[in-house]
Amino acid sequence: MEFLPEALEQYVEQHTSFENEILQQLNRETHAKVMIPRMISGHLQGRFLAMMSKMIAPKTILEIGTYTGYSAICLAEGLQQDGKLHTIDINEELEDLVRQYFDKAGIADKTQYYIGNALDIIPTLPGNFDLVFIDADKINYANYYDLVIDRISPGGYILTDNVLWSGKVLDDKKDKDTAAIDAFNKKLMNDPRVETVLVPIRDGILIARKTI
Ligand code: SAH
Ligand code: CA
């Protein structure tokens, strides 16, 4: 589902900085070779994530759900000089493609790429996070939040993707994923530790800022 009329969507993209050559290549290659290419962040959302990351200037980023690495490369644009991006995906079939593009994008040395279940890997990671991007299996969104919330300093951010789930959050009878996303949105809305804004970009991004 597109939330904006096509002409307006085009206008929005035309007035958003271009994706660079490497991101364009990765976007094309993902669409040509990988299953479910609509999962890739793509131009507008990629630029939004890069912009957010530059505003936050994080020292440490955690991404849950690497897929083909597009959003990781965008998020890494805002890392501090000696910053680190940790990114996790359960799908080992994408490893070669992801590593190839982390190399091309020049972020291999500041990126730690983990293959496995994020629920198992997050507790093994060292330190705190300034920016977390949640974008893996929707059913576990609340579990990921619970795993990271105490490891985010006041003023740190959690961005969560697909929180409108093609508009299905409005359905009376919700399937499992939709119910999980709706519960997640309500959980954060009611958590006094964070302030939230649900931004209706693409499939919806929930921005949560840790206040205490
Ligand atoms: N962030 C990417 C898209 C992620 S798509 C982008 O914007 O371009 C969602 C990814 O979550 C898929 O690659 C899938 O393999 C991964 N995933 C699903 N369940 C997971 C789990 N339990 N642990 C880690 N990754 C998982
Ligand atoms: Ca997504």
Side-chain angles (χ1 to χ4, degrees), residues 26 30 36-42 45 49 63-72 75 87-92 94 114-121 133-138 140 144 161-162 202:
L26 175 55
T30 300
I36 337 183
R38 68 183 149 78
M39 296 205 298
I40 195 170
S41 275
Q45 179 160 316
L49 293 173
E63 176 181 66
I64 310 171
T66 319
Y67 188 49
T68 56
Y70 190 99
S71 49
L75 289 166
T87 184
I88 311 171
D89 205 290
I90 201 164
N91 184 354
E92 79 272 355
L94 297 173
Y114 307 83
I115 293 163
N117 191 333
L119 291 173
D120 302 327
I121 291 171
F133 182 47
I134 302 180
D135 194 20
D137 48 332
K138 312 309 163 195
N140 279 311
Y144 297 137
D161 194 27
N162 307 101
R202 204 163 147 272

